[in-house]
């Protein structure tokens, strides 16, 4: 594989950005760099690396911060183009990659593209060099803008600025004009970054549930169409992140900041990076991979015996087996024994289920079905305004939260989510029909889907009045040969994501747990399981594709 999901394969544009940083501030022969949107996120990587590499190499790991040059920073307040880079010896790249993958805090490809151009054109400079720019010096500005002074001056209201002899310490003038033109060229005149804050507000309103209709941005800003997921909620209780994993990682960090450092609980077979985050940051993790009643019995025994925990992290439903945990019992234990509950609703999504009343924090990957278009990443964390830790968490977010969602990404995310309501209805309906067909086939061993799982009642307890069972399911067969035949013949796109507007299939366990197949199998996740995310295709067309795949299964000779 040459490229793949952005947290597992660093985007080629971001790779180019890292090479440029190393060219300017490192040794291309021996060093690599990992890109982050802020000094804080870079320091997380720096600290992680120092805890896992030989002490002799620690001084070689360093953070370089880039900021808009002092004379341009005020010219475009809607574009926060800060960049922080962790530079390290190449042999330690796998350690840095863990931070990139597990935390989800890395820069997006759109931010990376912007920063690469800004770095090359002199609009993004090393933080320590900003002070040096105060000293008067001759500067003609980036070569690509030389000779455009008169035109640029008119663009700023007719004030002409000379192309030469400009003091970069003045804070105004030619370079600021250039920066405005640079912004326009990078983003295009049809994408106003001034809309970024408005887009983020609309997205937060949709996630809070106070905006429940398919509407354009202007309508989203004017009115609210619902009371929200829970009484008293507002968009101020919704926090946006650059990825779904970033929302999970930061929810854990906020709990550590709001409470004393304690072990966490990971309940149910999790998305791989969730478990890794809980294990590698903080005091550790108690893991219940099955997520069943017996696990809650064991947990209750531990709690009665005096063990204390920071919070319980779970998915509703889980991925890829679509099992639903007993949230009511979990909530009762949390209230009695004082731990938080963090629920990942990515697979279920908040139009199908409402788990917020039983959670302290609900996290989600907006990259998936909320966006649908598969061209932008994002994440969210929602605080329950009636939760036990609401005040302390709100205070922690006020102190610690960084808005790292790149302006351009926010605009795309808002655009993509405008038809969220109608898309979910169609996906629910199509998936129920396809899973019913597979369920009836004697060629299929098991269909994992909330509607057919033994935990159906646990899921139904949190279904919204118009909610369905979602667009994700998994299937297994009586032999690997049959699974291969089904996967190969199924004429849909193949890839590792979910929630896309097109149907997507993947050999999930092989992709997510290639180096730990036996471990995954011990929790009932078979290595040849096929996971399918249903899109917006015509139901008759999609049904015919699955029928053809089943014919291939029937042709297998064993």
């Amino acid at each position: 594989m040459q490229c793949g999901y952005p947290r597992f394969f660093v985007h080629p544009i971001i790779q180019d950005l890292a090479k440029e940083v190393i060219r300017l501030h490192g040794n291309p022969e021996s060093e690599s760099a990992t890109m982050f949107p802020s000094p804080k996120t870079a320091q997380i990587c720096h600290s992680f690396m120092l805890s896992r590499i030989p002490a002799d190499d620690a001084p070689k790991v360093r953070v370089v911060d880039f900021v808009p040059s002092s004379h341009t920073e005020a010219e475009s307040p809607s574009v926060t183009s800060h960049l922080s880079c962790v530079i390290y010896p190449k042999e330690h790249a796998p350690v840095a990659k863990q931070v990139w993958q597990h935390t989800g805090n890395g820069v997006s490809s759109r931010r990376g593209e912007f920063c690469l151009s800004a770095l090359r054109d002199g609009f993004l400079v090393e933080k320590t060099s900003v002070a040096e720019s105060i000293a008067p010096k001759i500067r003609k500005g980036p070569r690509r803008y030389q000779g455009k002074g008169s035109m640029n001056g008119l663009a700023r209201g007719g004030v002409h600025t000379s192309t030469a002899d400009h003091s970069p310490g003045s804070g105004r003038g030619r370079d600021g004009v250039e920066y405005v033109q640079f912004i326009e060229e990078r983003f295009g005149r049809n994408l106003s970054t001034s809309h970024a804050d408005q887009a983020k507000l609309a997205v937060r309103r949709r996630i809070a549930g106070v905006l429940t209709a398919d509407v354009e941005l202007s309508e989203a800003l004017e009115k609210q169409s619902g009371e929200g997921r829970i009484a008293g909620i507002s968009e101020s209780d919704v926090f946006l992140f650059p990825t779904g994993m970033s929302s999970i990682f930061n929810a854990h960090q906020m709990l550590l900041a709001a409470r004393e450092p304690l072990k966490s609980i990971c309940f149910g077979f999790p998305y791989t990076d969730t478990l890794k985050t809980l294990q590698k940051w903080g005091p550790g993790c108690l893991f219940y991979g099955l997520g069943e009643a017996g696990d809650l019995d064991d947990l209750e025994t531990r709690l009665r015996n005096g063990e204390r925990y920071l919070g319980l992290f779970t998915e509703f439903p889980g991925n890829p087996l679509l099992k639903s945990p007993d949230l009511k019992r979990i909530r009762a234990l949390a209230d009695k024994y004082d731990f938080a509950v963090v629920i990942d609703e990515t697979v279920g999504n908040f139009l199908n289920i409402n788990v917020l009343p039983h959670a302290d924090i609900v996290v989600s990957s907006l990259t998936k079905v909320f966006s649908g278009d598969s061209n932008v990443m994002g994440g969210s964390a929602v605080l329950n305004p009636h939760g036990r830790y609401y005040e302390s968490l709100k205070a922690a977010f006020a102190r610690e939260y960084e808005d790292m969602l790149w302006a351009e990404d926010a605009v795309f995310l808002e655009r993509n989510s405008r038809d969220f309501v109608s898309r979910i209805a169609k996906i629910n309906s199509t998936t129920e029909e396809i899973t019913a067909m597979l369920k009836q086939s004697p060629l299929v061993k098991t269909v994992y889907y909330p509607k057919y799982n033994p935990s159906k009642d646990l899921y139904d307890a949190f279904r919204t009045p118009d909610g369905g069972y979602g667009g994700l399911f998994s299937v297994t067969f009586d032999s690997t040969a049959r699974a291969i035949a089904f996967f190969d013949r199924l004429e849909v796109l193949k890839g590792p994501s979910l929630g896309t507007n097109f149907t997507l299939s993947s050999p999930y366990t092989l992709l997510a747990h290639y180096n730990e197949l036996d471990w995954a199998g011990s929790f009932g996740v078979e290595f040849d399981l096929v996971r399918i995310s249903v899109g917006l295709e015509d139901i008759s067309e999609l049904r015919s594709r699955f029928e053809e795949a089943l014919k291939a299964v029937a042709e297998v000779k064993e």
Side-chain angles (χ1 to χ4, degrees):
M1 294 178 66
Q2 298 301 312
C3 198
Y5 197 75
R7 282 190 307 97
F8 292 84
F9 289 77
V10 179
H11 194 285
I13 289 174
I14 300 172
Q15 293 182 36
D16 289 344
L17 175 59
K19 291 176 183 176
E20 181 69 9
V21 168
I22 291 298
R23 185 185 71 81
L24 294 171
H25 297 278
N27 184 336
E29 298 298 321
S30 62
E31 292 185 314
S32 296
T34 299
M35 310 288 107
F36 294 95
S38 71
K40 179 179 176 181
T41 50
Q43 286 297 333
I44 289 172
C45 179
H46 183 265
S47 298
F48 184 86
M49 294 191 73
L50 294 191
S51 70
R52 283 164 170 77
I53 66 173
D56 290 346
D57 283 347
K60 302 175 185 177
V61 181
R62 59 199 185 278
V63 176
V64 178
D65 295 320
F66 296 92
V67 296
S69 52
S70 60
H71 47 280
T72 63
E73 188 166 13
E75 302 295 337
S76 185
S78 61
V79 180
T80 308
S81 51
H82 295 72
L83 177 71
S84 292
C85 314
V86 182
I87 299 176
Y88 46 82
K90 282 185 176 180
E91 61 266 28
H92 300 313
V95 181
K97 181 67 180 301
Q98 293 179 52
V99 183
W100 175 274
Q101 177 178 327
H102 299 332
T103 70
N105 284 339
V107 300
S108 73
S109 56
R110 288 188 182 91
R111 184 193 286 263
E113 183 179 40
F114 177 90
C115 289
L116 179 58
S117 295
L119 193 63
R120 286 173 173 169
D121 288 341
F123 296 121
L124 202 58
V125 298
E126 185 182 3
K127 189 173 183 179
T128 55
S129 70
V130 173
E132 299 171 5
S133 71
I134 297 175
K137 63 182 73 173
I138 302 298
R139 184 178 185 273
K140 292 187 177 182
R143 195 179 312 160
R144 63 195 288 251
Y145 294 108
Q146 290 178 26
K148 298 181 181 179
S150 177
M151 180 180 68
N152 288 344
L154 291 174
R156 289 294 303 279
V159 179
H160 177 73
T161 308
S162 171
T163 59
D165 299 326
H166 170 65
S167 170
S170 66
R172 310 293 292 175
R174 163 156 181 77
D175 289 307
V177 173
E178 288 175 349
Y179 194 54
V180 171
Q181 181 180 346
F182 173 78
I183 295 290
E184 291 175 346
E185 290 182 1
R186 293 313 311 162
F187 289 109
R189 302 202 179 250
N190 293 325
L191 180 61
S192 172
T193 55
S194 65
H195 291 162
D197 289 340
Q198 296 176 339
K200 290 178 181 181
L201 175 59
V203 167
R204 288 161 58 213
R205 284 185 172 178
R206 288 191 179 110
I207 294 168
V210 298
L211 183 63
T212 56
D214 288 346
V215 296
E216 298 296 305
L217 176 59
S218 59
E219 294 179 74
L221 297 173
E222 289 175 2
K223 61 182 181 180
Q224 299 180 358
S225 57
E227 295 180 354
R229 303 198 210 183
I230 193 171
I233 194 172
S234 74
E235 61 264 19
S236 67
D237 297 317
V238 180
F239 298 87
L240 300 179
F241 296 91
T243 65
M245 265 316 302
S246 178
S247 70
I248 295 170
F249 176 84
N250 283 286
H252 182 230
Q253 292 291 302
M254 293 300 174
L255 278 172
L256 288 171
R259 307 190 65 210
E260 60 185 296
L262 293 167
K263 276 189 176 182
S264 297
I265 304 159
C266 185
F267 192 80
F269 192 82
Y271 181 66
T272 178
D273 291 313
T274 300
L275 179 59
K276 297 293 191 278
T277 286
L278 300 179
Q279 290 174 332
K280 295 180 180 181
W281 280 271
C285 176
L286 175 63
F287 176 48
Y288 291 109
L290 294 174
E292 296 177 346
D295 294 324
L296 287 178
D297 292 340
D298 181 81
L299 175 60
E300 187 167 12
T301 298
R302 292 172 177 268
L303 293 166
R304 277 201 310 264
N305 290 337
E307 294 186 22
R308 297 183 63 226
Y309 296 94
L310 177 73
L312 182 147
F313 289 70
T314 192
E315 299 173 10
F316 196 94
N319 176 17
L321 300 183
L322 288 304
K323 291 168 65 173
S324 300
D326 188 345
L327 293 186
K328 291 183 179 179
R329 187 177 174 192
I330 288 171
R331 182 72 261 169
L333 289 173
D335 290 340
K336 184 175 181 179
Y337 293 103
D338 190 24
F339 61 85
V341 177
V342 182
I343 302 174
D344 184 345
E345 66 174 9
T346 300
V347 173
N349 84 70
F350 61 85
L351 291 183
N352 286 328
I353 56 171
N354 185 13
V355 297
L356 186 58
H358 281 66
D360 294 283
I361 308 175
V362 171
V363 294
S364 184
S365 172
L366 306 180
T367 309
K368 312 302 193 299
V369 70
F370 184 81
S371 169
D373 271 349
S374 196
N375 63 359
V376 66
M377 301 184 78
S380 64
V382 185
L383 302 185
N384 179 351
H386 307 291
R388 172 183 293 194
Y389 310 107
Y390 178 72
E391 296 300 332
S392 59
L393 282 170
K394 198 81 170 186
F397 271 88
R399 294 192 310 269
E400 306 290 342
Y401 174 72
E402 293 183 301
D403 183 356
M404 299 180 289
L405 183 60
W406 181 237
E408 194 181 8
D409 292 330
V411 171
F412 273 88
L413 194 59
E414 189 280 322
R415 287 179 179 179
N416 293 351
S417 63
R418 289 176 189 176
D419 62 349
F420 183 44
V421 177
S422 56
R423 283 191 290 110
I424 293 301
K426 180 174 176 56
I427 288 171
N428 286 341
S429 175
T430 301
T431 310
E432 286 201 45
E433 185 166 334
I434 295 298
T435 54
M437 180 186 75
L438 294 172
K439 183 76 173 172
Q440 293 169 2
S441 173
L443 298 170
V444 176
K445 183 171 78 172
T446 308
V447 175
Y448 295 99
Y449 189 55
K451 186 175 181 179
Y452 301 117
N453 282 355
S455 60
K456 177 180 182 295
D457 289 345
L458 297 175
Y459 182 94
D460 285 341
F462 294 90
R463 265 209 300 159
T464 60
D466 297 322
Y469 294 96
L472 190 72
F473 68 92
S474 299
V475 291
T476 57
F477 298 86
D478 288 322
S479 70
T480 300
R482 289 186 171 187
I484 291 172
F486 177 84
F487 180 78
D488 287 350
R489 183 72 66 88
L490 184 60
E491 290 298 324
V492 300
L493 292 173
K494 311 295 172 70
S497 192
L498 62 93
T500 50
N501 289 339
F502 47 86
T503 298
L504 192 60
S505 177
S506 74
Y508 178 80
T509 318
L510 289 173
L511 285 177
H513 303 285
Y514 184 79
N515 294 316
E516 50 189 18
L517 294 178
D518 291 341
W519 174 84
S522 70
F523 299 108
V525 183
E526 298 178 31
F527 82 94
D528 52 5
L529 170 146
V530 178
R531 194 191 70 177
I532 295 151
S533 173
V534 173
L536 298 175
E537 297 91 344
D538 179 77
I539 179 61
S540 60
E541 170 64 22
L542 202 55
R543 172 183 274 273
S544 68
R545 297 182 192 181
F546 278 88
E547 289 173 345
E548 287 299 312
L550 289 175
K551 287 179 183 177
V553 175
E555 293 168 359
V556 172
K557 305 297 183 183
E558 297 186 281

